[in-house]
Structure formats: C-alpha cells, structure tokens
Amino acid sequence: MTEHSRAYSERDFKAKLSSISGLDKLVDAAKQIHALLRDPQTPLWVKGLCIAVLGYLIVPTDVVWDFVPVLGYGDDLAALAAAIATIAAKLPK
C-alpha cells in the first residue's frame, strides 16, 4: 500500500471524484474516508489507512484497471468498504 499512499494528494483526489460522478456508492465511501482523514480527532493509524485507500482509488492501474467496464471500480469500492469496516471495528464505541 505504500505505492498507493504516495499516489494520494488533495488535487488528485478531487480530480478523481469529478471523474467518477454518477457512481454514488463509490463517491460516498470515498467522501467518508476523506472526512476521516481531514478530522483532527482521527487517530494517526486511521489517517494512514485513509491515505493508502484513497491513493488506491486514485491509481488507475490497481488490481482491476479503472477503465475496465463494470468491474473497473469494483475493487476500489471493496477497498474503501474494507477500510471503513476495519476502522469501525477498531475504534472505541
């Protein structure tokens, strides 16, 4: 995931969001992760996970390349959902 962490930037994240408009579940999950990243109360380990998974979203040549019809963003959504589930499971209630 370090390669993906290096791929993250605010500019690239905003560009990616504008390029995937219409994929509501993916955009919503990305925005949730981004909100955690920007929150000063978020633990450092969570911020690291957020940067890695948002970098994964930004990189077009991940496990399933983003330009592959239908499947292209499925792995991105799965990665975002897994990150959200991991964070939710580890944070105090």
Side-chain angles (χ1 to χ4, degrees):
M1 279 285 196
T2 57
E3 173 190 334
H4 297 113
S5 297
R6 287 190 300 256
Y8 175 78
S9 75
E10 285 290 316
R11 179 181 51 88
D12 290 341
F13 174 69
K14 290 175 183 174
K16 187 65 166 193
L17 279 188
S18 67
S19 75
I20 59 175
S21 61
L23 299 172
D24 296 339
K25 287 183 181 182
L26 182 63
V27 170
D28 290 345
K31 286 181 177 180
Q32 287 177 349
I33 292 289
H34 186 256
L36 282 170
L37 175 61
R38 307 275 302 162
D39 186 340
Q41 299 295 319
T42 299
L44 190 56
W45 73 268
V46 173
K47 287 184 183 236
L49 179 57
C50 291
I51 289 170
V53 77
L54 291 175
Y56 185 83
L57 173 67
I58 291 167
V59 174
T61 55
D62 44 35
V63 174
V64 179
W65 291 14
D66 292 346
F67 60 82
V68 175
V70 182
L71 300 175
Y73 286 109
D75 64 319
D76 297 289
L77 182 57
L80 290 164
I84 291 168
T86 298
I87 293 164
K90 300 286 184 186
L91 289 179
K93 307 248 182 227

